[in-house]
């Protein structure tokens, strides 16, 4: 997980800088990243397992699991770095170009500009990886693929009725996240340490050339997927099943969409409330960030016994979606607390509704937008776990049933429909919101 985190940060800098510098890359990558962070982990697994088993016959399943854990860590950090570059004040860039050469501008202006967002998102990426360990280590696609690890241990213990071992495994994972936060993540978010000059300049060089490396690796992976998939091209009956699956999946979209929108509204409200608390009393920052890190590290399947005893149906589905989504809004929004002009509010006696509309929201808007974007993806991602547990219909429930039956045409059709929804919303909402946020800064 540590190696995956370092790779994630490196990729985030390279991809985000390429999006920042090129409208063409931005137009390509923004919907691609939104799709990748929104598609549930089982959507990646069939292709990942198929390709990696062929490329690495002895360790294909393990490599696929590592890749899937990476997919659960990467997207919010990439979006955070992109938001930092996109909303960097223009006067900073003008001064940098006036007095610094390109190497110094990249290493000492752009690299540090993204660090606060990265440090605030690292805990959630780490906890989110733990959240999806159960999905990565125990995959059901008609037949089960099990790997050694705490995720498979917990699931097997639940299956055997050995609840003591299962809850000990959960507790150890949660305590590990707490210890890591208290000893490392808290220091990063409080002090925002800067890299040494040589490291910063090396990262600056990576900013300039890293996109070409990333694009080459992505092309190689895509080529491998196509190459090894040629022998398994769908026949006409399979294509007909896929098209029927698209129709069935499209009918389930409105149900899941309404739940996702409800989760986004709740997440935005909780994020602004957490920001207000931290702005008023900065000493609460550690408690807020620790609480959301803990919440995000507990898979929904582990919360089900508690929540299922209290509520049912739609309310249960929304509550199970929240842990995997609300944390993005809270962590990203709370990261804006140092940008809220408290002196201005005190000097002019601004409070109440005026404080919310003219001080708090404008100061936090870029962070809030990034938080809601990743909340959107997190909610869709968590739907594949939450909806079956709550016993409600929806696209996530349909996808889970297709995976359990090994129904690849229906699984791929549901992923395609979810991708279409995400791309459409990205085109007509998120890109415009980022542009609006950049004008507010």
């Amino acid at each position: 997980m540590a190696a995956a985190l370092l790779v994630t940060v490196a990729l985030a800098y390279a991809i985000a800088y390429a999006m920042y510098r090129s409208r063409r890359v931005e137009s390509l990558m923004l919907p691609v990243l939104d799709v990748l962070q929104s598609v549930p982990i089982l959507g990646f697994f069939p292709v990942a397992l198929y390709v990696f088993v062929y490329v690495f016959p002895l360790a294909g399943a393990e490599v696929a699991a590592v890749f899937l854990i990476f997919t659960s860590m990467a997207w919010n950090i990439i979006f955070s770095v992109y938001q930092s570059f996109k909303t960097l004040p223009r006067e900073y860039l003008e001064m940098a170009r006036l007095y610094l050469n390109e190497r110094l501008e990249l290493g000492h202006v752009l690299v540090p500009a993204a660090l606060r967002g990265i440090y605030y998102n690292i805990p959630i990426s780490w906890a989110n990886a733990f959240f999806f360990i159960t999905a990565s280590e125990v995959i059901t696609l008609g037949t089960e693929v099990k790997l050694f690890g705490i995720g498979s241990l917990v699931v097997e213990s639940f299956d055997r009725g050995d609840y003591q071992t299962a809850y000990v495994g959960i507790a150890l994972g949660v305590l590990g996240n707490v210890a890591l936060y208290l000893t490392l993540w808290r220091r990063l978010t409080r002090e925002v340490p800067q890299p040494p000059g040589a490291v910063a300049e090396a990262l600056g060089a990576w900013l300039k050339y890293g996109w070409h490396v990333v694009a080459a690796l992505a092309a190689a992976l895509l080529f491998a997927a196509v190459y090894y998939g040629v022998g398994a091209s769908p026949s006409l009956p399979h294509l007909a099943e896929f098209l029927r699956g698209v129709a069935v999946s499209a009918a389930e979209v409105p149900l899941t969409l309404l739940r996702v929108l409800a989760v986004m509204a709740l997440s935005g409200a909780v994020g602004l409330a957490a920001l207000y608390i931290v702005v008023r009393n900065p000493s609460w920052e550690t408690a807020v960030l620790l609480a959301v890190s803990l919440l995000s590290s507990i898979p929904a399947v582990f919360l089900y016994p508690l929540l299922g005893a209290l509520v049912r149906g739609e309310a249960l589905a929304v509550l199970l979606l929240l842990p995997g989504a609300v944390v993005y809004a809270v962590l990203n929004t709370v990261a804006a607390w140092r940008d809220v002009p408290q002196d201005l509010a005190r000097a002019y006696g601004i409070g109440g509704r005026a404080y919310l509309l003219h001080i708090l929201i404008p100061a936090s808007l870029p962070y809030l937008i990034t938080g809601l974007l990743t909340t959107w993806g997190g909610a869709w991602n968590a739907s594949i776990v939450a909806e079956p547990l709550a016993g409600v219909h929806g696209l996530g429930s349909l996808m889970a049933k297709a995976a359990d039956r090994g129904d690849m045409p229906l699984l791929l059709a549901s992923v395609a429909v979810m991708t279409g929804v995400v791309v459409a919303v990205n085109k007509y909402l998120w890109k415009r919101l980022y542009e609006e946020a950049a004008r507010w800064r």
Side-chain angles (χ1 to χ4, degrees):
M1 284 175 66
L5 185 59
L6 292 176
V7 171
T8 294
V9 173
L11 289 178
Y13 269 117
I15 295 171
Y17 182 70
M19 293 167 65
Y20 166 69
R21 293 288 297 184
S22 170
R23 280 193 170 274
R24 182 176 299 177
V25 175
E26 180 186 51
S27 299
L28 170 67
M29 291 305 300
L30 195 56
V32 167
L33 290 172
D34 201 4
V35 167
L36 292 176
Q37 66 119 11
S38 302
V39 174
I41 201 166
L42 282 182
F44 289 108
F45 193 78
V47 175
L49 183 62
Y50 188 70
V51 171
F52 287 123
V53 164
Y54 271 89
V55 176
F56 307 104
L58 298 179
E62 291 284 354
V63 176
V66 171
F67 173 76
L68 292 177
I69 292 174
F70 161 78
T71 66
S72 69
M73 299 176 72
W75 319 122
N76 56 305
I77 293 181
I78 295 174
F79 280 120
S80 173
V81 178
Y82 169 69
Q83 170 248 311
S84 299
F85 290 162
K86 193 75 174 176
T87 59
L88 194 65
R90 187 176 301 172
E91 56 268 24
Y92 285 10
L93 296 173
E94 291 173 351
M95 291 290 288
R97 288 164 188 160
L98 184 62
Y99 293 105
L100 302 176
N101 58 32
E102 184 184 30
R103 176 177 59 86
L104 293 176
E105 178 189 347
L106 292 174
H108 296 281
V109 177
L110 288 170
V111 168
L115 284 177
R116 187 197 300 177
I118 290 174
Y119 290 152
Y120 270 86
N121 274 278
I122 281 177
I124 189 62
S125 288
W126 190 270
N128 203 37
F130 183 76
F131 183 101
F132 281 109
I133 276 179
T134 52
S136 302
E137 292 181 348
V138 181
I139 303 294
T140 304
L141 289 169
T143 59
E144 280 194 337
V145 178
K146 288 190 176 182
L147 304 174
F148 178 76
I150 191 170
S152 58
L153 172 67
V154 169
V155 171
E156 288 179 358
S157 298
F158 269 118
D159 289 343
R160 295 195 310 266
D162 185 1
Y163 298 109
Q164 182 177 356
T165 300
Y167 285 114
V168 167
I170 297 169
L172 287 175
V174 171
L175 289 174
N177 284 326
V178 171
L180 195 57
Y181 180 85
L182 294 176
T183 57
L184 181 58
W185 305 145
R186 182 173 62 169
R187 179 176 177 270
L188 293 180
T189 56
R190 279 188 171 183
E191 301 177 12
V192 192
Q194 303 296 311
V199 175
E201 291 181 18
L203 282 172
W206 170 253
L207 283 185
K208 186 174 181 180
Y209 300 109
W211 166 249
H212 303 293
V213 177
V214 173
L217 290 174
L221 185 61
L222 181 61
F223 173 79
V226 172
Y227 177 81
Y228 290 112
V230 166
S233 57
S235 61
L236 288 178
H238 288 156
L239 182 59
E241 291 175 14
F242 175 81
L243 294 176
R244 283 195 297 270
V246 168
V248 172
S249 300
E252 302 289 344
V253 166
L255 298 172
T256 301
L257 179 60
L258 288 174
R259 296 181 192 115
V260 170
L261 293 176
V263 168
M264 288 182 66
L266 291 171
S267 299
V270 172
L272 288 173
L275 174 61
Y276 179 82
I277 292 171
V278 172
V279 166
R280 292 294 186 183
N281 191 348
S283 63
W284 278 84
E285 181 186 22
T286 297
V288 169
L289 297 181
L290 179 57
V292 295
S293 295
L294 285 177
L295 182 64
S296 67
S297 67
I298 304 175
V301 68
F302 301 159
L303 294 173
Y304 171 70
L306 174 63
L307 296 177
L310 301 175
V311 293
R312 296 287 182 184
E314 291 295 335
L316 178 58
V318 172
L319 286 177
L320 290 174
L321 285 173
L322 273 173
V326 69
V327 288
Y328 295 114
V330 172
L331 281 175
N332 280 281
T333 308
V334 168
W337 76 268
R338 292 180 179 86
D339 294 340
V340 178
Q342 281 295 93
D343 293 340
L344 178 66
R346 281 193 293 265
Y348 290 94
I350 302 173
R353 184 179 178 185
Y355 177 81
L356 176 66
L357 295 179
H358 300 290
I359 299 291
L360 198 67
I361 291 179
S364 64
L365 188 62
Y367 299 89
L368 180 61
I369 290 173
T370 300
L372 289 178
L373 172 57
T374 46
T375 294
W376 162 264
W380 281 105
N381 211 325
S383 67
I384 196 170
V385 176
E387 290 181 348
L389 288 175
V392 296
H393 294 287
L395 192 55
S397 183
L398 181 70
M399 193 177 293
K401 291 176 183 176
D404 288 341
R405 296 197 302 261
D407 188 343
M408 289 300 297
L410 182 57
L411 179 60
L412 295 177
S414 59
V415 170
V417 169
M418 185 177 289
T419 299
V421 172
V422 169
V423 169
V425 172
N426 174 273
K427 180 177 178 61
Y428 294 106
L429 178 62
W430 296 121
K431 188 175 180 181
R432 295 181 182 181
L433 285 177
Y434 268 118
E435 293 171 353
E436 182 66 24
R439 286 196 291 268
W440 279 42
R441 296 290 283 177

